[in-house]
Amino acid sequence: MKIEHDLIAAIYEAPLKPDGWPDVLTSFSEFANAGGATIALFDFNYSEYHLDLVSQNYAATPVFWEEYKKTCQPFDQAAYQAVARNRKREFSTDYGVLGISPDEREDVIPAVPFLRKHHGVDHRVATRLSLHGAWTDMLSLQYKIGRGPTTEREASYLKPYLLHLANALEVQRTFTGLMRRYEAILAALDHFQLGVCLITEKSEIAVKNAEATRILDEFSGIRCGADRKLLVSNEEEARFFSEALERVVSNSAGQAHHETPVFLIKDRLRDVPCVVEMLPLRDAVGEFNKGFRGALMIMIDPARTDSISTKGMELLYEFTEAESAVCSLLTQGFQTNEIADERGVHPETVKSQIKTLFEKTHTKNRVQLVHLAHKVNLPIK
C-alpha cells in the first residue's frame, strides 16, 4: 500500500502542537478503517509524563469520555497490562488478551456496551508502540459497529506507521514533562511581569507563561497563530524578527557569534511598543529534547509599570538622588512636564536630568530604560 507521507509528517508535527493530536489520530483511524483511536502513555517513574490522547470523536464528547475513564477504564487495566507485556508491535483484541470468546465481550467487558451506546464503536485492538521498556505507550483502535477487529492485511500496512508514532510520542513525552515542569517556573515569572516563550527555530511556541499570553493577546503587532507560530504584523518588523531568530539559532549551534538581539514591535493601537529580546536555546545532551534549537524570547510591555524597580540601576550607574527620582517617574510613564510638576522644578531641569540618565545608562529612550530596569532588577510584585 502507498506510504502516506502527509500522515507521517502530521505525526511528527504533533509534539509541538499537542492540541493537534486529535486531528492526527482521526486521520490515522480513517487510514486504518477504524472509527476512533486513542494513545495512552504510562511512566511509573515520572507521573508528569502521563498522556491520554484521543481522536476527534472522543475529544468532541468529553462528558462521555470522562465517564468512560471512570466506569470502564479501571476494568480495561487488565487488558492494557497484557498488551504491555507483549514486547512486539502487533495488534491484540480485547477479548484475546482477556482469554474470552468474542460472544462473551458484552457480558464481561463494561466498555463494550458503553462504547457502542455513546460512540458507535465496538471491536477494539491495541498494540505497544515503544519497545525499550523505559515507559509504556500503546495505540488502541476502535472499529465501528458492524465490522470486526483489524484484519491481517490492515495490520500489515499499519505496522510501519507504529514506529513513527513511537518516535513522535517520545518527543511528546519530553515536551510534556518540559511544559509541566517549566510552567511552574514560567508562572513565577508572571510576578516579574516578563512575558517568556520557548520558541523553535521555525518560530513555533513550545511553551509560554501567562504574561506572554496576555501580551500576545493584547498587542496587535505580534500574536500567536492557530498553528502556534508567532506572527508579526508589520512586514519590516516581521523580516527583522525572522533574521533575529535565525541569528540566535546559529548562535545556539555554534555557527556564529551574534549579539543578543533586542528590538521593538510597534502596536497600531498603542503609543508604546513591545520590547523583545531573544536568547539562544539548545539541548545537545537531551535534557529536554535532544537536538532542539530555538530561542528563549522575553517580552516586556513598557506600559505595565506598576511595579518596576529602578533600585538596581541607581546603584549600578551611581544616580544622584534627583536622578533616581526622575528615573523612577520616567519608567512609570510620566512625561517631562508631569515629572516637573511632581517634583516642583522647571521642565528644562527635568530634560537635563533625563539626558544625563540616558548617557549614564547608554539608553536612548524610555522604552530602553524600562527594558534595562527589568534586566538589572527584576520587578517583583
Side-chain angles (χ1 to χ4, degrees):
M1 192 170 181
K2 182 182 176 182
I3 296 295
E4 294 290 332
H5 295 287
D6 289 346
L7 177 57
I8 293 174
I11 287 171
Y12 283 112
E13 288 171 2
L16 279 179
K17 296 183 287 187
D19 50 358
W21 271 110
D23 289 334
V24 171
L25 289 177
T26 298
S27 297
F28 190 86
S29 66
E30 292 171 353
F31 178 66
N33 298 318
T38 62
I39 285 178
L41 186 150
F42 308 95
D43 191 319
F44 298 105
N45 294 317
Y46 302 99
S47 60
E48 66 264 37
Y49 292 138
H50 181 77
L51 292 171
D52 275 313
L53 306 172
V54 300
S55 52
Q56 284 289 7
N57 58 318
Y58 303 123
T61 53
V63 174
F64 291 146
W65 185 245
E66 289 300 318
E67 184 64 22
Y68 159 77
K69 290 198 291 186
K70 290 179 183 177
T71 60
C72 304
Q73 201 171 58
F75 182 87
D76 281 346
Q77 291 303 316
Y80 284 133
Q81 290 168 5
V83 173
R85 287 192 293 269
N86 184 6
R87 292 296 181 89
K88 294 181 181 179
R89 293 190 184 103
E90 59 184 17
F91 290 102
S92 302
T93 61
D94 54 1
Y95 58 86
V97 295
L98 295 174
I100 62 175
S101 71
D103 294 337
E104 296 177 289
R105 295 174 66 246
E106 186 168 4
D107 295 328
V108 176
I109 306 174
V112 171
F114 182 89
L115 292 174
R116 283 176 181 170
K117 178 180 178 181
H118 296 297
H119 295 291
V121 294
D122 188 2
H123 281 280
R124 301 180 297 165
V125 297
T127 177
R128 282 286 298 268
L129 291 174
S130 63
L131 303 178
H132 45 63
W135 60 83
T136 301
D137 48 18
M138 59 188 74
L139 166 74
S140 177
L141 296 173
Q142 304 83 36
Y143 290 91
K144 291 180 180 179
I145 295 172
R147 69 147 286 174
T150 313
T151 65
E152 288 187 11
R153 179 177 177 275
E154 288 169 337
S156 176
Y157 74 70
L158 290 175
K159 190 170 183 179
Y161 296 85
L162 302 182
L163 175 61
H164 296 301
L165 284 170
N167 291 340
L169 270 182
E170 183 163 353
V171 177
Q172 181 67 70
R173 172 186 174 275
T174 302
F175 269 93
T176 298
L178 167 72
M179 285 188 282
R180 290 177 182 171
R181 291 183 181 187
Y182 277 68
E183 274 168 2
I185 299 171
L186 295 177
L189 291 176
D190 291 331
H191 293 284
F192 301 140
Q193 298 182 357
L194 295 177
V196 181
C197 298
L198 271 63
I199 60 175
T200 72
E201 56 189 321
K202 295 181 180 179
S203 77
E204 296 168 324
I205 296 178
V207 62
K208 63 183 183 297
N209 68 343
E211 176 64 6
T213 299
R214 184 193 70 81
I215 291 173
L216 293 172
D217 286 345
E218 293 183 8
F219 269 75
S220 64
I222 183 170
R223 61 186 177 85
C224 178
D227 57 358
R228 299 178 69 87
K229 277 195 173 184
L230 284 164
L231 304 173
V232 179
S233 301
N234 180 276
E235 185 176 343
E236 184 178 349
E237 291 176 353
R239 185 170 58 254
F240 187 87
F241 180 91
S242 297
E243 291 172 355
L245 180 57
E246 187 177 339
R247 291 197 301 272
V248 166
V249 170
S250 64
N251 277 359
S252 71
Q255 298 167 345
H257 306 283
H258 299 294
E259 291 290 330
T260 300
V262 179
F263 52 96
L264 305 178
I265 294 180
K266 297 176 183 177
D267 190 313
R268 66 176 183 273
L269 303 176
R270 303 168 53 155
D271 294 331
V272 182
C274 176
V275 183
V276 177
E277 180 173 15
M278 287 187 188
L279 301 167
L281 190 63
R282 184 188 184 197
D283 186 11
V285 297
E287 289 184 352
F288 95 20
N289 186 30
K290 192 168 184 179
F292 177 90
R293 297 193 305 174
L296 179 70
M297 187 176 80
I298 299 172
M299 297 182 291
I300 298 172
D301 179 1
R304 194 173 181 187
T305 59
D306 52 304
S307 59
I308 293 176
S309 171
T310 57
K311 295 295 183 183
M313 289 198 299
E314 293 170 12
L315 296 173
L316 184 62
Y317 298 106
E318 299 181 348
F319 293 165
T320 65
E321 184 177 340
E323 290 167 353
S324 295
V326 171
C327 182
S328 178
L329 293 170
L330 194 63
T331 58
Q332 291 176 51
F334 282 64
Q335 300 301 314
T336 301
N337 288 340
E338 293 172 328
I339 295 173
D341 290 343
E342 180 76 15
R343 293 187 43 74
V345 297
H346 196 278
E348 291 300 321
T349 301
V350 175
K351 287 182 181 179
S352 176
Q353 291 168 332
I354 291 174
K355 181 181 179 182
T356 301
L357 286 173
F358 290 158
E359 289 174 351
K360 284 187 175 183
T361 58
H362 306 286
T363 56
K364 296 179 180 180
N365 52 48
R366 185 177 73 85
V367 171
Q368 291 184 5
L369 197 67
V370 170
H371 176 240
L372 182 62
H374 278 277
K375 290 176 72 71
V376 172
N377 200 145
L378 288 174
I380 303 173
K381 285 184 179 178

